[in-house]
Amino acid sequence: MAVSAQQVEEAQAPRVHELHVAHVQIDALDAGRQRGQRLGQDLRAPVDQLPARDEQPARGVLMALHSCTSDEAWEILREASQLSNTKLRDVAAAVTAGTETDGPPPPREVRSALRAALARLGH
């Protein structure tokens, strides 16, 4: 009994269809993953560059004490926050509080991180 090419094709048609559907689904998932990655990158970039409102007075303190630009003061605060594992608003509050007459100095880990950030920027 000889099997014709048409019979073979008809027998394999459901499997070919399943494979085609699987490839389409994989392509759709991959495209969605890529869009999600791009969106995540697009959203992260602006947030990382936005200055917090709480840090404006601290920027001014750093600019006055260390003759740096506003952008450099922002980098100092940001880097000190990362190095000390302290929220940026807390670093800024510590810098600002330290300028008051009876204000406490920043915590030791924040002071150390501020020194390192200032040194890296050459201040």
Side-chain angles (χ1 to χ4, degrees):
M1 173 167 153
V3 178
S4 71
Q6 183 177 359
Q7 288 173 322
V8 170
E9 189 175 311
E10 288 173 1
Q12 292 178 343
R15 181 70 179 135
V16 169
H17 177 72
E18 289 174 13
L19 289 172
H20 175 72
V21 168
H23 281 280
V24 169
Q25 290 172 335
I26 289 170
D27 289 345
L29 288 172
D30 189 47
R33 181 186 54 80
Q34 290 174 359
R35 277 193 305 274
Q37 286 175 336
R38 282 192 306 272
L39 178 61
Q41 291 168 348
D42 292 346
L43 291 174
R44 269 191 301 276
V47 170
D48 291 343
Q49 296 168 5
L50 285 177
R53 281 161 97 170
D54 301 351
E55 54 73 42
Q56 293 295 341
R59 262 193 197 193
V61 169
L62 292 173
M63 291 167 62
L65 291 176
H66 300 286
S67 300
C68 61
T69 67
S70 179
D71 288 342
E72 288 172 327
W74 167 250
E75 286 301 313
I76 292 165
L77 289 169
R78 188 185 63 74
E79 186 172 330
S81 169
Q82 291 176 350
L83 291 173
S84 65
N85 197 26
T86 306
K87 291 185 186 252
L88 191 136
R89 69 174 171 257
D90 295 338
V91 172
V95 168
T96 305
T99 63
E100 296 175 15
T101 304
D102 292 332
R108 181 177 309 181
E109 63 275 1
V110 172
R111 281 195 317 263
S112 176
L114 285 165
R115 277 192 217 102
L118 284 161
R120 191 182 69 73
L121 290 172
H123 290 281

